[in-house]
Amino acid sequence: MSAETKLPAIDRSHDISQPLEKLHPNERLKDQSNYLRGTIEQSLAAPLTGSVTSDDTKLMKFHGIYQQDDRDLREERRRQKLEPAYQFMVRVRLAGGVCSPRQWLKIDELSELYGGATLRMTTRQTFQFHGILKPNLRNTIQGLNEVLLDTIAACGDDTRGVMCSVNPHLSALHAEVYDLARRTSNRVIPKTRAYHEIWLNGEKVAASDADTPPEDPIYGRTYLPRKFKFGFVIPPVNDIDVYAQDVGLIAIAEGEKLLGFNLSVGGGMGNTDNAPETFPRLGDVVGYFPKEKLFDIAVATATIQRDYGDRVDRMHARFKYTIEDRGTDWFKAELASRVGFPLEEARPFEFTSNGDTYGWVQGSDGMWHFTMFIENGRIRNTPQRPLKTALRELALVHKGELRLTPNQNLIVANVSEAEKPHIADMLAAYGLDSSIHVSALRLNSMACVALPTCGLAMAESERYLPTLVTKVERILADHGLQDVPITMRMTGCPNGCARPYIAEIGFTGRAPGKYNFYLGGGFHGQRLNRLYLENVGEARILEELGKIIAHFAKDRHDKEHFGDFVIRAGYVRAVTGGNDFNS
Ligand code: SRM
Ligand code: SF4
């Protein structure tokens, strides 16, 4: 029997029912890739180029690997008639952002060996290596495997990057929700053995719970139409921005006892300038289910998108468009028919913030957790601050775990009362307890990577936002508002990797030095912002913010958030839904 005939029946009555030639070319590539193998082995062996073939770049995303080139060197290399400085970004699969000190040390070692001595903590709680050269890819992945980590489905048209709240106050609840997030990730990743064959010389992936049959039991041959993201959140902290997830799972608990989840569907940030048919969208909460049903719901939701997502137009292929076009009643009926029971009515919950709580907090089990601010998630040593070395030293003595937050920060988690003084001394010695000296604006700021590695960046983000924050801090201080938390996020293009469309102040790159300027997002991630000014540079941004912040200082209601104020004061209209974003 061939691999194909063993696959479970996939409902192909929708877009996928069309001949492959009528679908987006990526569909044929996936179909004919022999379960994501393509010609990756041959591309890796090709000695005369630092790159892989264009088809293999697409397939390697499913293995968590992106081909890039150093854009700072692009012009110079073109002048010298050299091929671009090809290099690879490798993204680790780290559900819920939790890693052991041993894993941290290995990641640190691999970044020193192959990744330009820098690491990036992402907005979805994992690590990215940048600058890895083709001959070092296997070493990197094998190194990760030594500490039971992999990069499967960290990118690609699959279910990837499962997020989970880090709420350290609620220890038992966090442990249970995190465990479910981790197991969901293992359950929904593609089960092809291509990863083991190509990167691990056929070894079994240590971190995977499941056996790995040759064909994929959930996705068939063509996987999903587009990326698909799960996030678990523990109210009252909406740190993962649950409404920006394709599938959001909102923990419903009695005290620390997890009962089940409210399900949110159809969130996403990606947007394309001047294409009003694309828009960011917040997820809809469609109902509640008990925790025992989690895996059934997760798999059924993924298969609904597998069968109904648009496989012709990739700009319209995210789950948010499936939900927007077909409606939540349709989704609920389809889900019930697949899992065999209807969702219950959503249970009450409340969010009060989407940021991190810095400094020491004690969990309900008596263990201590320290959250430190890491600007834009970048870990490297500089002459002023040996951050990377400091974190390595910390990992060498720490016995608990390290948790990456959805705001690109780091928690030294599960420190016992006895160990706390020593860890606190180390944090102080390396200046890692410095979040107390950082402004509320900076603590609530976030930027995507952008230049020089991201091939889609149109403007700086990570390398520029800190400078802009310093200038806005001065304006806030002039009005006595330095302690008011305001979310400010920037991305180098409209794809929205730092979730800028739910920030109170958002910027997305249009061209070098030019940004679309958004206002009015909800402080808890509950409302999209709206375009305020298009394609403006720093001078205009500061002039406008100067005016609006002065008005805010004068007319602010007690504890009113900046995002709410700009709507009340008429600077922008509140966005009521995805389609309304562009109206
Ligand atoms: Fe993203 C593409 C970086 C979170 C929406 N994203 C990319 C690529 C891979 C560029 C590319 O396709 O060539 C970027 C690599 C840059 C680099 O040099 O490292 C990139 N995205 C990132 C990260 C590293 C940003 C960061 O600074 O932390 C985040 C990695 C997350 C992870 O660990 O998995 C990252 N990306 C996000 C988020 C935020 C989230 O998921 O919570 C979003 C918005 C939510 C969403 O998915 O709608 C996001 N990235 C995109 C999109 C737009 C997708 C769309 O629906 O249109 C793209 C472009 C694409 O897929 O075509 C993209
Ligand atoms: Fe690159 Fe754009 Fe994502 Fe920033 S938002 S990392 S520029 S794709």
Side-chain angles (χ1 to χ4, degrees), residues 426-492:
M426 285 188 81
L427 292 168
Y430 280 111
L432 297 178
D433 57 354
S434 62
S435 47
I436 40 176
H437 308 301
V438 176
S439 74
L441 177 71
R442 198 176 297 270
L443 292 176
N444 285 284
S445 68
M446 197 151 80
C448 74
V449 179
L451 293 164
T453 53
C454 179
L456 305 179
M458 300 195 260
E460 294 283 355
S461 182
E462 180 192 323
R463 297 195 294 195
Y464 168 58
L465 185 64
T467 310
L468 183 65
V469 167
T470 304
K471 293 179 180 175
V472 180
E473 276 171 350
R474 282 189 210 124
I475 301 176
L476 287 165
D478 286 346
H479 296 283
L481 295 173
Q482 63 276 10
D483 297 329
V484 175
I486 299 175
T487 51
M488 182 155 134
R489 296 177 177 178
M490 174 175 279
T491 56

Coordinates of all heavy atoms in Angstrom, one line a residue, residues 426-492:
M426 N 23.8 37.9 42.3 CA 24.3 37.8 40.9 C 23.6 38.8 40.0 O 24.2 39.4 39.2 CB 24.1 36.4 40.4 CG 25.1 35.4 41.0 SD 24.9 33.8 40.1 CE 25.9 34.1 38.6
L427 N 22.3 38.9 40.2 CA 21.5 39.8 39.4 C 22.0 41.2 39.6 O 22.2 42.0 38.6 CB 20.0 39.7 39.7 CG 19.3 38.4 39.3 CD1 17.9 38.3 40.0 CD2 19.2 38.2 37.8
A428 N 22.3 41.6 40.8 CA 22.7 42.9 41.1 C 24.1 43.1 40.6 O 24.4 44.2 40.0 CB 22.7 43.1 42.6
A429 N 25.0 42.1 40.7 CA 26.4 42.3 40.3 C 26.5 42.6 38.8 O 27.3 43.3 38.3 CB 27.2 41.1 40.6
Y430 N 25.6 41.9 38.0 CA 25.6 42.1 36.6 C 24.6 43.2 36.1 O 24.4 43.4 34.9 CB 25.2 40.8 35.9 CG 26.4 39.8 35.8 CD1 26.4 38.7 36.6 CD2 27.5 40.1 35.0 CE1 27.5 37.8 36.5 CE2 28.5 39.2 34.9 CZ 28.5 38.1 35.6 OH 29.6 37.2 35.6
G431 N 24.0 43.9 37.0 CA 23.0 44.9 36.6 C 21.8 44.4 36.0 O 21.1 45.1 35.2
L432 N 21.4 43.1 36.3 CA 20.3 42.5 35.6 C 19.0 42.9 36.4 O 17.9 42.5 35.9 CB 20.4 41.0 35.6 CG 21.5 40.5 34.7 CD1 21.6 39.0 34.7 CD2 21.4 41.0 33.3
D433 N 19.1 43.5 37.5 CA 17.9 43.9 38.3 C 17.5 45.4 37.9 O 16.8 46.0 38.6 CB 18.2 43.8 39.8 CG 19.4 44.6 40.2 OD1 20.1 45.2 39.4 OD2 19.6 44.7 41.4
S434 N 18.0 45.8 36.8 CA 17.9 47.2 36.4 C 16.6 47.7 35.9 O 16.4 48.8 35.7 CB 19.0 47.6 35.4 OG 18.7 46.9 34.2
S435 N 15.6 46.7 35.8 CA 14.3 47.2 35.3 C 13.7 48.2 36.2 O 12.9 49.0 35.7 CB 13.3 46.0 35.2 OG 13.3 45.2 36.3
I436 N 14.1 48.3 37.4 CA 13.5 49.4 38.3 C 13.9 50.8 37.8 O 13.3 51.7 38.2 CB 13.9 49.2 39.8 CG1 15.4 48.7 39.9 CG2 13.0 48.2 40.5 CD1 15.9 48.6 41.3
H437 N 15.0 50.8 37.1 CA 15.5 52.2 36.6 C 15.0 52.5 35.2 O 15.4 53.5 34.6 CB 17.0 52.2 36.6 CG 17.6 51.9 37.9 ND1 17.3 52.5 39.1 CD2 18.5 50.9 38.3 CE1 17.9 51.9 40.1 NE2 18.7 50.9 39.6
V438 N 14.2 51.6 34.6 CA 13.8 51.7 33.2 C 12.4 52.3 33.2 O 11.5 52.0 34.1 CB 13.8 50.3 32.5 CG1 13.2 50.5 31.1 CG2 15.2 49.8 32.5
S439 N 12.1 53.2 32.3 CA 10.8 53.9 32.3 C 9.6 52.9 32.0 O 9.8 51.9 31.3 CB 10.8 55.0 31.2 OG 10.7 54.5 29.9
A440 N 8.4 53.3 32.4 CA 7.3 52.5 32.1 C 7.0 52.3 30.6 O 6.6 51.3 30.2 CB 6.0 53.1 32.8
L441 N 7.4 53.4 29.8 CA 7.2 53.3 28.4 C 8.1 52.2 27.8 O 7.7 51.3 27.0 CB 7.5 54.6 27.7 CG 7.4 54.6 26.2 CD1 6.0 54.5 25.7 CD2 8.1 55.9 25.6
R442 N 9.4 52.2 28.2 CA 10.4 51.3 27.7 C 10.0 49.8 28.1 O 10.1 48.9 27.3 CB 11.8 51.6 28.1 CG 12.9 51.0 27.3 CD 14.3 51.4 27.7 NE 14.5 52.8 27.5 CZ 15.0 53.4 26.4 NH1 15.3 52.7 25.4 NH2 15.1 54.7 26.3
L443 N 9.5 49.7 29.4 CA 9.2 48.4 29.8 C 8.0 47.8 29.0 O 7.8 46.6 28.9 CB 8.8 48.4 31.3 CG 9.9 48.7 32.3 CD1 9.4 48.8 33.7 CD2 11.0 47.6 32.3
N444 N 7.2 48.7 28.4 CA 6.1 48.2 27.7 C 6.3 48.4 26.2 O 5.3 48.4 25.4 CB 4.8 49.0 28.1 CG 4.3 48.5 29.4 OD1 3.7 47.4 29.5 ND2 4.6 49.2 30.5
S445 N 7.5 48.4 25.7 CA 7.8 48.6 24.3 C 8.3 47.3 23.7 O 8.8 46.4 24.5 CB 8.9 49.7 24.1 OG 10.2 49.2 24.6
M446 N 8.1 47.1 22.4 CA 8.5 45.8 21.8 C 8.8 46.1 20.3 O 8.0 46.8 19.7 CB 7.4 44.8 22.0 CG 7.8 43.4 21.7 SD 6.7 42.3 22.7 CE 5.3 42.2 21.7
A447 N 9.9 45.6 19.8 CA 10.2 45.7 18.4 C 10.5 44.4 17.8 O 11.1 43.5 18.4 CB 11.4 46.6 18.2
C448 N 10.2 44.2 16.5 CA 10.6 43.0 15.8 C 12.0 43.1 15.4 O 12.6 44.1 15.5 CB 9.7 42.8 14.6 SG 10.1 43.9 13.2
V449 N 12.6 42.0 14.8 CA 14.0 42.0 14.4 C 14.3 43.0 13.3 O 15.2 43.8 13.4 CB 14.4 40.6 13.9 CG1 15.8 40.5 13.5 CG2 14.0 39.5 14.9
A450 N 13.6 42.9 12.2 CA 13.8 43.7 11.0 C 15.2 43.7 10.5 O 15.8 42.6 10.5 CB 13.3 45.1 11.3
L451 N 15.8 44.8 10.2 CA 17.1 44.9 9.6 C 18.2 44.5 10.6 O 18.0 44.8 11.8 CB 17.4 46.3 9.0 CG 16.5 46.6 7.8 CD1 16.6 48.1 7.6 CD2 17.0 45.8 6.6
P452 N 19.3 43.8 10.3 CA 19.7 43.5 8.9 C 19.3 42.1 8.4 O 19.7 41.8 7.3 CB 21.2 43.6 9.0 CG 21.5 43.1 10.4 CD 20.3 43.5 11.2
T453 N 18.6 41.3 9.2 CA 18.4 39.9 8.8 C 17.1 39.7 8.1 O 17.0 38.8 7.2 CB 18.5 39.0 10.0 OG1 17.6 39.4 11.0 CG2 19.9 38.9 10.6
C454 N 16.1 40.4 8.5 CA 14.8 40.1 7.9 C 14.6 40.5 6.4 O 14.8 41.7 6.2 CB 13.6 40.7 8.7 SG 12.0 40.3 8.0
G455 N 14.4 39.6 5.6 CA 14.3 39.9 4.1 C 13.1 40.8 3.8 O 13.0 41.3 2.7
L456 N 12.1 40.9 4.7 CA 10.9 41.6 4.4 C 10.9 43.1 5.0 O 10.0 43.8 4.7 CB 9.7 40.9 4.9 CG 9.5 39.4 4.4 CD1 8.3 38.8 5.0 CD2 9.4 39.4 2.9
A457 N 11.9 43.4 5.8 CA 11.9 44.7 6.4 C 12.0 45.8 5.4 O 12.8 45.8 4.5 CB 13.1 44.7 7.4
M458 N 11.3 46.9 5.7 CA 11.3 48.1 4.9 C 12.0 49.2 5.6 O 12.3 50.2 5.1 CB 10.0 48.4 4.4 CG 9.3 47.3 3.5 SD 7.9 47.9 2.6 CE 6.6 47.3 3.6
A459 N 12.0 49.0 7.0 CA 12.6 50.1 7.8 C 13.2 49.4 9.0 O 12.9 48.2 9.3 CB 11.6 51.1 8.2
E460 N 14.0 50.1 9.8 CA 14.6 49.6 11.0 C 13.5 49.4 12.0 O 12.5 50.1 12.1 CB 15.7 50.6 11.6 CG 16.9 50.8 10.7 CD 17.9 49.7 10.9 OE1 17.7 48.7 11.7 OE2 18.9 49.7 10.1
S461 N 13.8 48.5 13.0 CA 12.9 48.3 14.1 C 13.7 48.1 15.4 O 13.8 49.0 16.2 CB 11.9 47.2 13.8 OG 11.0 47.0 14.9
E462 N 14.2 46.9 15.6 CA 14.9 46.6 16.8 C 16.1 47.6 17.0 O 16.4 48.0 18.1 CB 15.5 45.2 16.7 CG 16.3 44.8 17.9 CD 17.0 43.5 17.7 OE1 16.5 42.5 17.1 OE2 18.2 43.3 18.2
R463 N 16.7 48.0 15.9 CA 17.9 48.9 16.1 C 17.5 50.3 16.2 O 18.4 51.2 16.5 CB 18.9 48.7 14.9 CG 19.4 47.3 14.7 CD 20.6 47.2 13.8 NE 20.3 47.5 12.4 CZ 21.1 47.2 11.4 NH1 22.3 46.7 11.6 NH2 20.8 47.5 10.1
Y464 N 16.2 50.6 16.0 CA 15.8 52.0 16.1 C 14.9 52.4 17.3 O 15.0 53.4 17.9 CB 15.2 52.5 14.8 CG 14.5 53.8 14.9 CD1 15.1 55.0 15.2 CD2 13.1 53.9 14.6 CE1 14.5 56.2 15.3 CE2 12.4 55.1 14.6 CZ 13.1 56.2 15.0 OH 12.5 57.4 15.1
L465 N 14.0 51.4 17.6 CA 13.0 51.7 18.6 C 13.6 52.3 20.0 O 13.1 53.2 20.5 CB 12.1 50.5 18.9 CG 10.9 50.8 19.9 CD1 10.0 51.8 19.3 CD2 10.2 49.6 20.3
P466 N 14.7 51.7 20.5 CA 15.3 52.2 21.7 C 15.6 53.7 21.6 O 15.3 54.5 22.6 CB 16.6 51.4 21.9 CG 16.3 50.1 21.2 CD 15.5 50.5 20.0
T467 N 16.0 54.2 20.5 CA 16.3 55.6 20.3 C 15.0 56.4 20.4 O 14.9 57.5 21.0 CB 17.0 55.9 18.9 OG1 18.1 54.9 18.8 CG2 17.5 57.3 18.8
L468 N 14.0 56.0 19.7 CA 12.7 56.7 19.6 C 12.1 56.7 21.0 O 11.6 57.8 21.5 CB 11.8 56.0 18.6 CG 10.4 56.7 18.5 CD1 10.6 58.1 17.9 CD2 9.5 55.9 17.6
V469 N 12.2 55.6 21.7 CA 11.7 55.5 23.1 C 12.4 56.6 24.0 O 11.7 57.3 24.7 CB 11.9 54.1 23.7 CG1 11.6 54.1 25.2 CG2 11.0 53.1 23.1
T470 N 13.7 56.8 23.9 CA 14.4 57.8 24.7 C 13.8 59.2 24.4 O 13.6 59.9 25.3 CB 15.9 57.8 24.3 OG1 16.4 56.4 24.5 CG2 16.7 58.7 25.1
K471 N 13.5 59.4 23.1 CA 13.0 60.8 22.8 C 11.5 60.9 23.3 O 11.2 62.0 23.8 CB 13.0 61.0 21.3 CG 14.5 61.0 20.8 CD 14.7 61.2 19.4 CE 16.2 61.3 19.1 NZ 16.6 61.3 17.7
V472 N 10.7 59.9 23.3 CA 9.4 60.0 23.8 C 9.4 60.0 25.3 O 8.6 60.7 25.9 CB 8.5 58.8 23.2 CG1 7.1 58.9 23.8 CG2 8.5 58.8 21.7
E473 N 10.3 59.3 25.9 CA 10.5 59.4 27.4 C 10.6 60.9 27.8 O 10.1 61.3 28.8 CB 11.7 58.6 27.8 CG 11.5 57.1 28.0 CD 12.8 56.4 28.2 OE1 13.9 57.0 28.1 OE2 12.7 55.2 28.5
R474 N 11.4 61.6 27.1 CA 11.7 63.0 27.5 C 10.4 63.8 27.4 O 10.1 64.6 28.3 CB 12.7 63.7 26.5 CG 14.1 63.3 26.9 CD 15.1 64.0 26.1 NE 16.3 63.2 25.9 CZ 16.8 62.9 24.7 NH1 16.4 63.4 23.6 NH2 17.9 62.1 24.7
I475 N 9.5 63.5 26.4 CA 8.2 64.3 26.3 C 7.4 63.9 27.5 O 6.8 64.7 28.2 CB 7.5 63.9 25.0 CG1 8.4 64.3 23.8 CG2 6.2 64.6 24.9 CD1 7.8 63.8 22.4
L476 N 7.3 62.6 27.8 CA 6.5 62.1 28.9 C 7.0 62.8 30.2 O 6.2 63.2 31.1 CB 6.5 60.6 29.0 CG 5.7 59.9 27.9 CD1 6.1 58.4 27.9 CD2 4.2 60.0 28.2
A477 N 8.3 62.8 30.4 CA 8.9 63.3 31.7 C 8.5 64.8 31.8 O 8.2 65.3 32.9 CB 10.4 63.1 31.7
D478 N 8.6 65.5 30.7 CA 8.2 67.0 30.7 C 6.8 67.2 31.2 O 6.5 68.3 31.7 CB 8.3 67.6 29.3 CG 9.7 67.7 28.8 OD1 10.6 67.7 29.6 OD2 9.9 67.9 27.6
H479 N 6.0 66.2 31.1 CA 4.6 66.3 31.5 C 4.3 65.5 32.8 O 3.1 65.3 33.1 CB 3.6 65.9 30.4 CG 3.7 66.8 29.2 ND1 3.1 68.1 29.2 CD2 4.3 66.6 28.0 CE1 3.4 68.6 28.0 NE2 4.1 67.8 27.3
G480 N 5.4 65.0 33.4 CA 5.2 64.3 34.7 C 4.6 62.9 34.5 O 4.0 62.3 35.4
L481 N 4.7 62.4 33.2 CA 4.0 61.1 32.9 C 4.9 59.9 32.8 O 4.6 58.9 32.3 CB 3.2 61.2 31.6 CG 2.0 62.2 31.6 CD1 1.4 62.4 30.2 CD2 0.9 61.8 32.6
Q482 N 6.2 60.1 33.3 CA 7.2 59.0 33.1 C 6.8 57.7 33.7 O 7.3 56.6 33.3 CB 8.6 59.5 33.6 CG 8.7 59.8 35.1 CD 8.2 61.2 35.4 OE1 7.7 61.9 34.6 NE2 8.5 61.6 36.7
D483 N 5.9 57.7 34.7 CA 5.5 56.4 35.4 C 4.2 55.8 34.8 O 3.7 54.8 35.2 CB 5.3 56.6 36.9 CG 6.6 57.0 37.5 OD1 7.7 56.6 37.0 OD2 6.5 57.8 38.5
V484 N 3.7 56.5 33.7 CA 2.4 55.9 33.1 C 2.8 54.9 32.1 O 3.5 55.1 31.1 CB 1.6 57.1 32.5 CG1 0.4 56.5 31.8 CG2 1.2 58.1 33.5
P485 N 2.3 53.6 32.3 CA 2.6 52.6 31.3 C 1.9 52.8 30.0 O 0.6 53.0 30.0 CB 2.2 51.3 32.0 CG 1.2 51.7 33.0 CD 1.5 53.1 33.4
I486 N 2.6 52.8 28.9 CA 1.9 52.9 27.6 C 2.6 51.9 26.7 O 3.8 51.7 26.7 CB 2.2 54.3 27.0 CG1 1.6 55.4 27.9 CG2 1.6 54.4 25.6 CD1 1.9 56.8 27.4
T487 N 1.8 51.1 26.0 CA 2.4 50.1 25.1 C 2.7 50.8 23.8 O 1.9 51.5 23.2 CB 1.4 48.9 24.8 OG1 0.2 49.4 24.4 CG2 1.2 48.0 26.0
M488 N 4.0 50.6 23.4 CA 4.5 51.1 22.1 C 5.3 50.0 21.4 O 6.2 49.5 21.9 CB 5.4 52.3 22.4 CG 5.9 53.0 21.2 SD 6.4 54.7 21.7 CE 7.9 54.9 21.0
R489 N 4.8 49.7 20.2 CA 5.4 48.6 19.5 C 5.8 49.0 18.0 O 5.0 49.8 17.4 CB 4.5 47.4 19.4 CG 4.2 46.9 20.8 CD 3.2 45.7 20.8 NE 3.0 45.2 22.1 CZ 2.2 44.2 22.4 NH1 1.4 43.7 21.4 NH2 2.1 43.7 23.6
M490 N 6.9 48.5 17.5 CA 7.3 48.8 16.2 C 7.7 47.6 15.4 O 8.2 46.6 16.0 CB 8.5 49.7 16.3 CG 9.2 50.0 15.0 SD 10.6 51.2 15.2 CE 9.7 52.7 15.3
T491 N 7.3 47.6 14.1 CA 7.8 46.5 13.2 C 8.4 47.2 12.0 O 8.0 48.3 11.6 CB 6.7 45.5 12.9 OG1 5.6 46.2 12.3 CG2 6.2 44.8 14.1
G492 N 9.3 46.4 11.3 CA 9.9 47.0 10.1 C 9.1 46.9 8.9 O 9.5 47.4 7.8

